[in-house]
């Protein structure tokens, strides 16, 4: 390896599979450049249209990546030549395959993709299985998971694993695993908002319902979900921001509800709402978005109201509280 190649290998490679992972990787790359002077390239999965749209938006916003590279499958060559990986999904089957086969990187940063990062930290602390909860895994995937967990624990023992997260619940298990925790406060995104570099999205109403994947994941019946949205709209008109995995049929049903306007942005809600200047009233089922949006909307006077899915089991009482 030439001196130039060796020097380049010390720069970071972010490998992301979801819109929030991509946005979080941009936040981390901004901090990484400020603290070390090192650059970050990003490889992003092109099978998800919202990932592609997010990458295009971040490119127009001059996000702190030296390169944007779309990929299919595993970016073997790029991983081989990078000694610092910033990964978005520690449980990904593709990440497990790459981490089990390729030479161990010198450093790994985990950029979170929601509350699942808490479970990932518990797994690396050896307190739960290295697998997504409530999902069946093949024997080969389980074996790969064990191998990769051991590799990550070895790096953590040497002080070479970092967690970049906005979820405080991950702090304690990460500490028990020997992983350094750095707080993600969406600093770069808020700066971009102040420079007015964000995509222009018009919301017809400042009262917003955030879409959920619970119906798609068979965790909540569609009729209960639609009732939740309908009852919100009975109080005042709603802008509805869909979850990226909601089906067209479900969105059509939501859009047919009186007082509801579905706003299809094709972008993560953190990116859509960061440009807010006036207070917003957000309604969401309990989700990781409530955590990230509290940071993104800090200082705007916005209010986020979470509803526990269990509260949707019976019709809402309209009596006086």
């Amino acid at each position: 390896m030439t001196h130039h190649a060796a020097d380049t290998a010390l720069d970071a490679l972010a490998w992301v599979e979801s819109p929030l992972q991509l946005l979080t990787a941009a936040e981390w790359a901004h901090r990484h450049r400020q603290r070390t002077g090192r650059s970050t390239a990003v490889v992003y999965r092109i099978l998800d249209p919202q990932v592609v749209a997010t990458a295009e938006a971040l490119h127009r916003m001059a996000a702190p990546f030296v390169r944007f590279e779309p990929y299919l499958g595993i970016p073997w060559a790029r991983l081989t030549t990078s000694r610092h990986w910033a990964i978005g999904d520690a449980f990904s089957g593709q990440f497990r395959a790459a981490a089990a086969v390729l030479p161990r990187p010198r450093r790994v940063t985990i950029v979170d993709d929601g509350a699942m990062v808490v479970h990932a930290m518990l797994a690396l602390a050896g307190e739960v299985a290295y697998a997504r909860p409530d999902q069946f895994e093949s024997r080969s995937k389980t074996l790969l998971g064990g191998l990769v967990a051991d590799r990550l624990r070895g790096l953590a023992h040497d002080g070479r694993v970092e967690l970049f997260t906005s979820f405080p619940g991950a702090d304690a298990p990460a500490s028990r695993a020997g992983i350094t925790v750095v707080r993600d406060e969406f600093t770069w995104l808020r700066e971009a908002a102040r420079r007015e570099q964000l995509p222009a999205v018009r919301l017809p109403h400042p009262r917003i319902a955030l879409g959920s994947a619970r119906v798609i994941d068979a965790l909540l019946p569609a009729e209960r979900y639609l009732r939740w949205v309908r009852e919100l709209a009975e109080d005042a008109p709603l802008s509805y921001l869909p979850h990226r995995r909601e089906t067209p049929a479900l969105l059509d049903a939501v859009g047919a509800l009186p007082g509801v306007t579905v706003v299809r942005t094709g972008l993560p809600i953190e990116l859509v709402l960061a440009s807010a200047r006036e207070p917003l009233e957000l309604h969401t089922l309990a989700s990781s978005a409530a955590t990230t949006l509290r940071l993104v909307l800090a200082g705007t006077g916005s209010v986020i109201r979470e509803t526990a899915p269990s509260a949707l089991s019976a019709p809402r009482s309209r009596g006086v509280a």
Side-chain angles (χ1 to χ4, degrees):
M1 183 181 286
T2 65
H3 174 75
H4 173 74
D7 187 64
T8 301
L10 294 175
D11 294 333
L13 178 71
W15 177 17
V16 298
E17 301 181 52
S18 80
L20 183 56
Q21 289 173 26
L22 182 50
L23 183 56
T24 307
E27 292 288 340
W28 178 81
H30 171 72
R31 181 182 186 276
H32 183 60
R33 184 174 62 187
Q34 284 190 323
R35 291 179 62 86
T36 69
R38 292 287 179 182
S39 65
T40 304
V42 63
V43 289
Y44 60 93
R45 189 177 188 177
I46 62 174
L47 292 179
D48 186 325
Q50 193 171 117
V51 172
V52 175
T54 303
E56 292 171 349
L58 290 177
H59 189 270
R60 291 191 296 270
M61 292 164 63
F65 296 121
V66 291
R67 285 185 306 280
F68 288 79
E69 301 179 23
Y71 79 95
L72 283 170
I74 298 173
W76 294 104
R78 297 292 288 116
L79 291 168
T80 301
T81 57
S82 177
R83 303 304 304 278
H84 188 165
W85 298 357
I87 61 148
D89 184 355
F91 295 137
S92 163
Q94 292 185 335
F95 167 68
R96 293 188 210 192
V101 172
L102 294 175
R104 188 172 79 172
R106 288 187 58 81
R107 297 193 66 83
V108 170
T109 296
I110 299 172
V111 295
D112 68 48
D113 184 28
M116 183 61 70
V117 74
V118 178
H119 191 80
M121 294 302 103
L122 289 169
L124 290 175
E127 296 166 14
V128 297
Y130 190 85
R132 290 189 182 92
D134 305 321
Q135 286 195 11
F136 171 79
E137 294 201 344
S138 65
R139 178 173 174 80
S140 60
K141 195 170 183 180
T142 299
L143 289 172
L144 281 176
L147 177 58
V148 172
D150 286 344
R151 286 193 163 197
L152 289 174
R153 289 172 188 138
L155 283 171
H157 183 267
D158 295 336
R160 295 181 177 182
V161 179
E162 172 188 60
L163 172 64
F164 185 67
T165 183
S166 55
F167 293 88
D171 292 5
S175 178
R176 294 193 294 271
I179 294 172
T180 301
V181 179
V182 177
R183 184 69 60 230
D184 177 11
E185 296 179 340
F186 290 93
T187 303
W188 173 78
L189 183 58
R190 287 202 303 272
E191 289 178 357
R194 286 198 295 270
R195 295 192 300 269
E196 298 184 345
Q197 288 183 313
L198 299 182
V201 177
R202 180 183 175 277
L203 297 174
H205 310 292
R207 194 163 174 269
I208 300 166
L210 303 182
S212 170
R214 288 180 176 273
V215 175
I216 308 307
D217 294 336
L219 298 175
L220 185 67
E223 61 271 17
R224 291 182 184 172
Y225 182 72
L226 292 171
R227 186 176 67 217
W228 172 67
V229 179
R230 183 177 64 249
E231 290 179 346
L232 287 174
E234 288 174 358
D235 293 332
L238 283 175
S239 299
Y240 183 92
L241 294 177
H243 189 280
R244 68 190 177 101
R245 292 197 289 114
E246 285 182 272
T247 64
L250 182 59
L251 289 180
D252 287 345
V254 170
L257 297 173
V260 178
T261 304
V262 176
V263 183
R264 294 173 170 86
T265 68
L267 295 168
I269 53 176
E270 291 82 4
L271 199 55
V272 171
L273 298 180
S275 59
R277 292 293 179 269
E278 302 300 324
L280 301 174
E281 180 183 333
L282 283 80
H283 295 263
T284 178
L285 297 181
S287 76
S288 57
T291 297
T292 57
L293 287 174
R294 284 190 176 95
L295 295 169
V296 171
L297 295 170
T300 66
S302 297
V303 176
I304 300 176
R305 305 189 192 282
E306 291 185 80
T307 299
S310 58
L312 306 186
S313 59
R316 181 180 67 172
S317 170
R318 301 292 291 184
V320 178

